[in-house]
Amino acid sequence: MSTMTLDAAGRTEAAQSELTGGQIAASAEVRKTVGKPFCDTAKLRMRNVNVFYGEAQAIHSVSLDIGRNQVVAMIGPSGCGKSTFLRCLNRMNDTIEGCRVEGELSLDGDPIYGPKVDVVPLRARVGMVFQKPNPFPKSIYENVAYGPKIHGIASRRADLDEIVESSLRRAGLWNEVKDRLDKPGTGLSGGQQQRLCIARAIAVSPEVILMDEPCSALDPIATARIEELIDELRENYTIAIVTHSMQQAARVSQRTAYFHLGRLVEVNDTETVFTNPEHELTEAYITGRFG
Amino acid sequence: MTNLTQAQVRERIEKRLASRHRKEKLFRGLGIASIAFGVLAVVILFSDIISKGSGAFMQTAIQLEIHYDAQVLDIDKVDDESLAWANFSGVIRQALRERFPSVTSRGEKRELYTLVSSGAPFTLRDRLADDPELLGKSEKVWFAADDDVDTFVKSLKDSKEGFRGRTSEQKAGWIEQLLDSGELKKRFNTTFFTNGDSREPEQAGIRAALMGSLFTLLVTLALSFPIGVAAAIYLEEYAPKNRWTDLIEVNINNLAAVPSIVFGLLGLAIFINFFELPRSAPLVGGLVLTLMTLPTIIISSRAALKAVPPSIREAAMGMGASRMQVVFHHVLPLAMPGMLTGAIIGMAQALGETAPLLMIGMVAFIVDVPAGVTDPATVLPVQIFLWADSPERAFVERTSAAIMVLLSVLIVMNASAVLLRKKLERRW
Amino acid sequence: MQTPTLFALLLLLILVAYGTGFSRALSAARSLGGLRNLASLPSYYGIFAALWCGLPALILLGAWLIFDDAIIRAMVLNSVADKPETISGQNLLYAQIQNLAAGHMLGEATPRLQEAADHLSQLRSSSNNMQAFMSLILAVGLGAFALLRFSPQLRAREKVEKVLRAILIACACAAIFTTVGILFSVLFESLRFFQSVPVTEFLFGLHWSPQMALRADQVGSSGAFGAVPLFTGTLMVSAIAMFVAVPIGLMAAIYLAEYASKRVRAVAKPILEILAGVPTVVYGFFAALTVAPFIRDLATSVGLEASSESALAAGLVMGIMIIPFVSSLSDDVINAVPQSLRDGALGLGSTHSETVRKVVIPAALPGIVGGVLLAVSRAIGETMIVVMAAGLAANLTANPLESVTTVTVQIVTLLVGDQEFDSPKTLAAFALGLMLFVTTLVLNFIALHVVKKYREQYD
């Protein structure tokens, strides 16, 4: 693992040279993250995270904090490692054969990786919503009740009913589905399915919710509903969201992290990133010169 | 939750973790146990058959000092006619009596004569036919021992007592005497590969069954491969998507799952009763197996055609080739490896099939090696079935050996299919 | 003329037709100034002529070879003055006539037989001559006709392709013909069976003893055709097989698809598939000589009585045979469950086994059920294992240690050996065959439909 001094105000050498669109990806070398990758109220702390798929390194020494009750957006061109990074946070990368994660990652000071860490309660604390809505082929009720049931959070039917209702309410879906809870979840529209998946995730009272491009398969109206929802959820949860849409990042997040070729280039308050990016790769990306 | 704090939830989750992880381990263990059961079944099946059958490749033989006495043989010259009725068994009996001069009573003598196979006179006949000069001379000749002797001798290596069966104390004594003097030994069992079926285990071989299987498979291959490929070409390259095509497809898939014995009924009712084709013939067997393997070949040939990318068809069509030319000049050569693989697998299936062939009379006791597709014949699996039914202990050994031969052929066929697929497979 | 000679001659004619067509096309092209002036390539003119020459003649020859024996037989038998009424009597008579005509008749031939035999020989030789004459005339005539039709404008390729296409269609219809053939052969004989034994007795009768009395006063051979013991026997053996194959096959598939590393998979899967490639007669031998004695000894040692041919032995071994069938079908459907569902469940903190049990298996259930139905149909139709290891006695029992018999076993026993197609004993086999065919057809149909629907769901 390469050691790297993290200098909040540091700049890469590459940032000094003049670059044009086509050359950027090939020649830019990102050594240090610019901006403000750390914060005081960190819920999730990541230090020097490297991820390998077999021999190939997908993430190069990324360090980042995700603050409590904050929405952090991760943006970058496709293949830049933002989804891979997100999946480290609840160890979903474990399911991929040959994937190896190095570095220090902790949730409220508890390590995420390590021989003694049990992924089951970890994933209950760090929930996840995926790119494509993936409701189970069960009824709407069973979809939401799945988590509480397997974890034994509620044993009585009445408790379960209450959890299902409150989760669906928080996901803004209750009014649409309350009369057809026993209908299959796969029969809902795409946007409703994604909100069902959010309800399913919050039914186990997670502390963090990871969202991997949650709106990429949805139409603009459904997207708007989800974005509203994310904003409401921020009150109770810490949220990390990967998105390919810069507008979305600008709308929903407080902080934005820009990834490029497996490296974290710049992290800053969302407004700063979009109005006054420090790194020219970031600037090039948000101004649409590549991506 | 409205009434549960995150900490409370954490606590409840923690409480059940241990039991959940136990269940996980149990589930995983069940999976491993299932795989282990399957692997164990393979190991037991193969080791059982090999341990039972490997003995059959060796045969016990007895050496006797034979005197070709013209008087005992009751002939004065060697020609076809005299060879046909010469008393060879008399010569053998005489040799046995001379070897064990202490045997005098009739009952004992009769027992003595059962040391060598009842096929021994034929060995002598062949020798004399090869070399007529032997008449009146003496020589030492190895004869196949009787199956009871064979079984007894082979069982000696497992226990000192050995498996007696019908072998008496006295006979066992003779055998040990011969064994000690080196006049009894185990040699490679060529009979097993050169003879047809026989009621006597020591004379029974798989040659006739192997040839029967070969002829049957040739008929099957000659019919099912062209028809199967043609059907696949039509369905994949020409057929319009309509109800008739759907019907054909459903039909093919259903036929692939129809029990094989039903094909036997079809063969009996149509080929034998209606068309009056000869019973027990490889021709009919091949026809029945053709109908049975056709679905397999059609399905795999279609898969092979499907794997040829449409861009190749479009390229050829763009050059002005007709549909037929596109298929026969461009698509078919590329799909051929896949089709051949399917054909080999279909043939392997046909080679192992027994039930439908019982229906069309291939179960008869046939000694002669068939010379053509209309001669009465049996096939290897049916031979195994017939021998498995025989009460003689020596047939158990031969059945297992025949199974070993059958399995080896099947393994070679399947392995060549896998190799062919690996070697000729193209990635587009 | 001998048939092989005739075939060789026809082949020669076909080659000549091809060569002539080809060279005519070539010379025509030359005189016209290049191949582009022909409607098709020269080889197509050759094939065109060859098809006209060979195809009709070969079809005629084939039909002749198939039908001549039956026609000659009918003609000979009709000419015999007082022929017997029964089919078996006629068979015997005809066999005698044939032997006489072939010249190896034992004993004295009656003048009546001698006359019939002469008639037979005469018919045979004239049929032989006619067959050669007709097919050669047809080949030469139609070959010449095709060559006469030759002109550079003739679209030979299209015509050739039309014929080839027709041949392809005929081959594709072979599956239909097979099904129709099966249906007709079992249906026809079954109907004859049901004329002598009522359908209700066959379907609901509790006693099966198909041996017909040879003499009226014979004891114990009443010829009872109640198939219920066979159905229960079949069900019991299949149920035991499923009891072994479904859990083991399914768990093996789950382990291979969900848990096993690539290396374990690459080793374990082919080993399991070996079980599918072993011929059933080998399993039968294994069941009869190894498993059945083992079970009998085991049962005796715990104080139970077990028959040396038991339903348990046959079912157990059949189950082992079906394991790879269940596991490879389940493996396919489990792999068809989208990864996103697994991710969803794992992301909520399910353990791996909870994911499999509560999400993957329910999602794959239709496909698994389809696979199990196909396996059931296989178990019901399996023959050799039960023939060798289950026994012949039609016991109506629920004890798996006893010997039972199945539908397939009875079909084999009734049809192996001498058959008389006018005895209910033989025909009963076809009635059983009909039951077997219909049952498995229905099972297959449902199973294939379920699996197809399942696949469409995730495609």
Side-chain angles (χ1 to χ4, degrees):
Chain A
M1 202 193 298
S2 66
T3 50
M4 182 193 290
T5 47
L6 286 149
D7 177 2
R11 296 201 159 208
T12 63
E13 276 170 71
Q16 261 106 55
S17 61
E18 192 64 32
L19 289 166
T20 55
Q23 290 174 301
I24 288 169
S27 64
E29 208 177 295
V30 186
R31 290 258 178 81
K32 292 168 190 165
T33 304
V34 299
K36 293 182 280 184
F38 307 129
C39 62
D40 302 333
T41 60
K43 179 84 185 168
L44 283 158
R45 290 164 68 91
M46 280 74 74
R47 291 294 178 274
N48 297 325
V49 175
N50 290 296
V51 181
F52 303 85
Y53 289 119
E55 292 299 301
Q57 188 165 3
I59 298 284
H60 297 262
S61 196
V62 167
S63 298
L64 178 69
D65 280 350
I66 293 176
R68 206 173 299 276
N69 295 359
Q70 219 177 40
V71 177
V72 175
M74 301 177 191
I75 57 170
S78 23
C80 68
K82 52 194 193 297
S83 284
T84 299
F85 183 69
L86 190 76
R87 289 168 70 96
C88 292
L89 305 185
N90 69 344
R91 296 184 56 173
M92 281 304 283
N93 280 338
D94 290 12
T95 59
I96 297 162
E97 222 174 307
C99 181
R100 189 159 48 87
V101 178
E102 287 173 359
E104 296 158 33
L105 295 94
S106 62
L107 169 65
D108 273 342
D110 305 329
I112 291 176
Y113 284 82
K116 290 198 174 157
V117 179
D118 187 348
V119 292
V120 171
L122 169 76
R123 287 182 187 152
R125 291 173 71 185
V126 185
M128 186 151 188
V129 176
F130 297 86
Q131 188 169 0
K132 226 180 111 205
N134 57 352
F136 303 137
K138 302 169 183 287
S139 71
I140 294 169
Y141 183 94
E142 287 298 326
N143 259 289
V144 183
Y146 176 84
K149 267 189 186 169
I150 56 158
H151 287 300
I153 294 168
S155 46
R156 286 179 307 146
R157 177 80 191 186
D159 294 345
L160 212 52
D161 286 349
E162 199 184 313
I163 293 175
V164 170
E165 183 180 338
S166 67
S167 306
L168 283 170
R169 276 189 197 284
R170 286 193 197 195
L173 197 60
W174 176 250
N175 288 330
E176 291 160 59
V177 300
K178 64 181 172 200
D179 301 322
R180 44 170 175 155
L181 288 175
D182 55 343
K183 295 281 183 308
T186 43
L188 298 173
S189 73
Q192 287 173 323
Q193 284 188 15
Q194 196 60 299
R195 277 180 283 148
L196 178 63
C197 291
I198 293 173
R200 188 175 71 185
I202 58 185
V204 293
S205 323
E207 296 157 36
V208 181
I209 300 175
L210 310 177
M211 295 186 174
D212 189 358
E213 303 195 20
C215 302
S216 65
L218 303 181
D219 62 67
I221 295 171
T223 302
R225 288 292 310 266
I226 303 274
E227 287 178 1
E228 263 171 51
L229 180 58
I230 292 171
D231 207 45
E232 289 163 21
L233 289 173
R234 181 161 61 93
E235 236 177 87
N236 297 302
Y237 307 97
T238 304
I239 294 172
I241 177 170
V242 163
T243 175
H244 63 272
S245 147
M246 283 172 279
Q247 289 81 355
Q248 186 170 64
R251 283 193 296 264
V252 300
S253 69
Q254 282 78 54
R255 288 168 73 222
T256 294
Y258 172 67
F259 281 78
H260 186 89
L261 292 176
R263 293 171 204 272
L264 180 54
V265 177
E266 177 166 359
V267 187
N268 225 325
D269 296 335
T270 299
E271 210 180 313
T272 318
V273 169
F274 284 101
T275 53
N276 187 20
E278 277 182 57
H279 199 292
E280 78 202 72
L281 277 173
T282 318
E283 186 181 358
Y285 181 69
I286 62 170
T287 52
R289 273 157 67 195
F290 70 93
Chain B
M1 300 307 91
T2 43
N3 52 354
L4 285 175
T5 64
Q6 282 178 340
Q8 279 173 309
V9 169
R10 294 294 80 85
E11 197 182 316
R12 291 190 181 188
I13 292 176
E14 286 295 333
K15 233 175 22 201
R16 292 200 14 173
L17 270 180
S19 97
R20 286 171 69 194
H21 283 303
R22 261 202 310 280
K23 272 192 191 151
E24 167 75 24
K25 274 202 185 113
L26 181 73
F27 190 75
R28 213 185 151 96
L30 282 177
I32 294 174
S34 299
I35 301 271
F37 182 89
V39 174
L40 197 69
V42 174
V43 171
I44 291 178
L45 182 67
F46 276 75
S47 55
D48 181 51
I49 283 168
I50 291 173
S51 71
K52 277 195 180 122
S54 53
F57 295 107
M58 298 305 276
Q59 188 184 36
T60 310
I62 294 175
Q63 193 187 39
L64 290 175
E65 173 83 39
I66 291 291
H67 179 53
Y68 295 93
D69 189 337
Q71 219 171 352
V72 181
L73 285 170
D74 201 13
I75 54 173
D76 42 20
K77 60 180 188 311
V78 177
D79 56 23
D80 286 350
E81 199 187 331
S82 63
L83 279 173
W85 52 276
N87 183 11
F88 289 109
S89 47
V91 173
I92 293 168
R93 287 175 184 186
Q94 193 184 25
L96 280 165
R97 283 196 304 271
E98 281 165 10
R99 176 67 185 76
F100 296 99
S102 58
V103 176
T104 46
S105 79
R106 278 186 65 134
E108 280 180 343
K109 276 187 191 166
R110 200 176 297 138
E111 189 162 19
L112 184 63
Y113 298 154
T114 60
L115 277 177
V116 293
S117 161
S118 57
F122 300 107
T123 319
L124 273 193
R125 189 191 62 192
D126 293 347
R127 292 189 77 84
L128 195 58
D130 280 352
D131 185 7
E133 296 291 304
L134 281 171
L135 189 62
K137 293 183 186 145
S138 294
E139 66 165 340
K140 288 192 168 174
V141 181
W142 283 100
F143 294 101
D146 187 64
D147 62 304
D148 287 338
V149 177
D150 190 50
T151 310
F152 173 66
V153 171
K154 281 175 185 163
S155 66
L156 281 176
K157 72 170 191 299
D158 298 329
S159 68
K160 230 174 134 40
E161 282 297 295
F163 172 81
R164 281 284 167 75
R166 287 183 294 187
T167 310
S168 70
E169 186 80 23
Q170 192 179 25
K171 200 170 171 184
W174 295 332
I175 292 170
E176 266 154 38
Q177 225 177 311
L178 287 170
L179 203 54
D180 289 341
S181 65
E183 287 163 286
L184 189 149
K185 66 166 185 186
K186 282 191 262 178
R187 60 176 187 189
F188 182 71
N189 188 356
T190 45
T191 318
F192 186 66
F193 295 99
T194 54
N195 272 28
D197 197 8
S198 168
R199 299 274 185 228
E200 299 297 328
E202 76 273 8
Q203 294 173 44
I206 54 169
R207 175 101 193 274
L210 270 180
M211 292 309 285
S213 277
L214 180 70
F215 284 128
T216 310
L217 278 197
L218 281 181
V219 174
T220 309
L221 185 65
L223 289 172
S224 65
F225 189 60
I227 296 179
V229 169
I233 290 176
Y234 179 74
L235 290 175
E236 209 49 53
E237 305 284 334
Y238 287 93
K241 194 85 193 117
N242 59 23
R243 302 193 84 150
W244 181 245
T245 321
D246 277 353
L247 183 70
I248 294 178
E249 275 210 63
V250 170
N251 227 300
I252 289 170
N253 288 333
N254 264 322
L255 273 184
V258 164
S260 59
I261 193 171
V262 173
F263 288 97
L265 288 175
L266 165 85
L268 177 62
I270 306 246
F271 297 135
I272 292 191
N273 278 346
F274 188 69
F275 288 132
E276 306 201 328
L277 293 172
R279 284 174 71 85
S280 314
L283 176 66
V284 184
L287 281 171
V288 170
L289 293 181
T290 297
L291 298 183
M292 212 192 79
T293 46
L294 212 50
T296 315
I297 293 184
I298 295 177
I299 290 169
S300 61
S301 299
R302 287 189 69 176
L305 286 172
K306 238 182 226 147
V308 177
S311 59
I312 289 190
R313 293 182 185 83
E314 283 154 14
M317 296 257 213
M319 301 290 290
S322 74
R323 188 133 210 179
M324 196 68 77
Q325 286 166 326
V326 171
V327 171
F328 282 94
H329 296 173
H330 301 282
V331 178
L332 206 52
L334 292 173
M336 220 8 120
M339 292 176 165
L340 284 176
T341 314
I344 295 176
I345 288 168
M347 288 304 109
Q349 235 177 47
L351 177 59
E353 200 52 67
T354 321
L357 302 180
L358 299 182
M359 303 285 92
I360 54 157
M362 291 192 98
V363 69
F365 176 71
I366 289 153
V367 179
D368 296 324
V369 176
V373 291
T374 50
D375 288 353
T378 190
V379 294
L380 203 45
V382 176
Q383 187 71 74
I384 291 167
F385 170 64
L386 286 171
W387 282 352
D389 248 9
S390 303
E392 284 95 346
R393 200 178 140 100
F395 267 128
V396 171
E397 197 178 79
R398 276 162 182 78
T399 314
S400 307
I403 289 176
M404 283 163 71
V405 173
L406 177 63
L407 288 178
S408 327
V409 176
L410 286 176
I411 288 172
V412 168
M413 286 175 87
N414 282 309
S416 59
V418 171
L419 282 183
L420 188 71
R421 187 184 300 159
K422 281 239 168 78
K423 192 157 176 156
L424 299 173
E425 191 175 56
R426 264 176 217 240
R427 292 243 166 258
W428 304 99
Chain C
M1 195 183 294
Q2 292 292 308
T3 314
T5 332
L6 187 56
F7 265 110
L9 216 60
L10 277 178
L11 205 66
L12 194 73
L13 279 176
I14 291 169
L15 282 177
V16 168
Y18 177 82
T20 321
F22 187 81
S23 57
R24 281 197 73 163
L26 266 192
S27 60
R30 213 171 296 129
S31 62
L32 286 170
L35 282 179
R36 62 175 64 243
N37 296 307
L38 292 181
S40 307
L41 288 172
S43 63
Y44 282 105
Y45 290 97
I47 298 174
F48 177 72
L51 279 175
W52 268 105
C53 170
L55 208 57
L58 285 175
I59 290 172
L60 176 81
L61 190 56
W64 201 293
L65 286 175
I66 288 170
F67 292 110
D68 65 342
D69 282 340
I71 293 171
I72 290 176
R73 181 194 149 113
M75 284 169 79
V76 170
L77 282 177
N78 275 336
S79 70
V80 177
D82 48 343
K83 63 171 181 208
E85 286 298 310
T86 61
I87 294 174
S88 53
Q90 288 183 0
N91 283 345
L92 192 66
L93 177 68
Y94 192 63
Q96 282 177 328
I97 296 173
Q98 275 177 315
N99 279 336
L100 196 59
H104 37 70
M105 178 70 179
L106 299 167
E108 277 300 296
T110 62
R112 180 180 72 119
L113 273 184
Q114 191 59 55
E115 194 185 319
D118 291 344
H119 190 192
L120 176 65
S121 313
Q122 183 204 336
L123 278 176
R124 272 189 183 160
S125 77
S126 60
S127 153
N128 210 317
N129 290 336
M130 284 274 278
Q131 148 195 333
F133 181 70
M134 300 269 284
S135 46
L136 288 180
I137 285 285
L138 205 60
V140 172
L142 290 177
F145 168 72
L147 287 173
L148 283 177
R149 277 184 63 188
F150 172 80
S151 77
Q153 288 80 41
L154 180 71
R155 294 172 168 275
R157 184 178 57 75
E158 282 173 22
K159 296 195 190 298
V160 167
E161 289 190 350
K162 245 186 200 159
V163 175
L164 284 182
R165 200 186 147 115
I167 294 175
L168 291 185
I169 293 179
C171 288
C173 291
I176 304 265
F177 295 144
T178 311
T179 308
V180 172
I182 290 175
L183 252 181
F184 265 95
S185 49
V186 290
L187 205 61
F188 187 64
E189 310 287 359
S190 302
L191 288 178
R192 282 174 62 194
F193 172 72
F194 289 128
Q195 278 165 10
S196 55
V197 177
V199 181
T200 46
E201 189 198 321
F202 176 72
L203 285 181
F204 304 112
L206 299 181
H207 189 60
W208 177 266
S209 148
Q211 294 306 324
M212 294 299 278
L214 292 175
R215 302 185 310 272
D217 57 343
Q218 206 169 358
V219 192
S221 295
S222 48
F225 291 99
V228 170
L230 312 191
F231 298 150
T232 55
T234 307
L235 276 183
M236 193 202 289
V237 175
S238 308
I240 295 170
M242 287 298 118
F243 201 73
V244 173
V246 172
I248 294 180
L250 192 55
M251 280 311 295
I254 289 172
Y255 188 81
L256 286 178
E258 297 284 333
Y259 285 96
S261 65
K262 264 190 193 142
R263 275 186 25 226
V264 173
R265 211 178 141 87
V267 176
K269 224 175 136 121
I271 292 183
L272 282 186
E273 270 159 18
I274 290 178
L275 284 176
V278 172
T280 55
V281 69
V282 177
Y283 281 111
F285 177 74
F286 181 63
L289 269 90
T290 306
V291 178
F294 176 74
I295 287 177
R296 193 193 48 215
D297 295 346
L298 200 70
T300 317
S301 69
V302 297
L304 287 169
E305 206 167 308
S307 152
S308 61
E309 295 182 315
S310 60
L312 189 58
L316 207 63
V317 174
M318 197 191 283
I320 291 175
M321 182 190 84
I322 295 176
I323 288 174
F325 193 74
V326 174
S327 87
S328 73
L329 282 173
S330 311
D331 196 25
D332 284 355
V333 293
I334 288 173
N335 280 326
V337 173
Q339 182 62 30
S340 67
L341 287 185
R342 290 185 188 85
D343 284 349
L346 289 172
L348 285 168
S350 310
T351 62
H352 205 149
S353 67
E354 284 162 351
T355 308
V356 173
R357 280 186 291 124
K358 306 221 161 108
V359 176
V360 177
I361 296 298
L365 200 60
I368 292 173
V369 169
V372 169
L373 283 181
L374 279 180
V376 170
S377 126
R378 236 180 119 102
I380 290 176
E382 171 48 42
T383 309
M384 294 320 292
I385 295 177
V386 277
V387 165
M388 295 169 86
L392 294 174
N395 290 328
L396 192 56
T397 173
N399 179 0
L401 295 174
E402 266 185 70
S403 128
V404 297
T405 194
T406 70
V407 173
T408 49
V409 171
Q410 289 304 316
I411 295 178
V412 170
T413 22
L414 293 176
L415 287 184
V416 168
D418 292 329
Q419 302 139 6
E420 290 173 38
F421 269 81
D422 38 9
S423 116
K425 183 188 152 204
T426 306
L427 296 177
F430 284 90
L432 291 174
L434 179 66
M435 294 296 298
L436 188 63
F437 182 61
V438 171
T439 314
T440 50
L441 200 69
V442 169
L443 278 174
N444 298 341
F445 193 77
I446 297 173
L448 291 171
H449 190 72
V450 168
V451 173
K452 196 174 160 204
K453 276 266 130 56
Y454 168 76
R455 293 210 171 281
E456 281 165 2
Q457 181 190 336
Y458 289 119
D459 268 350

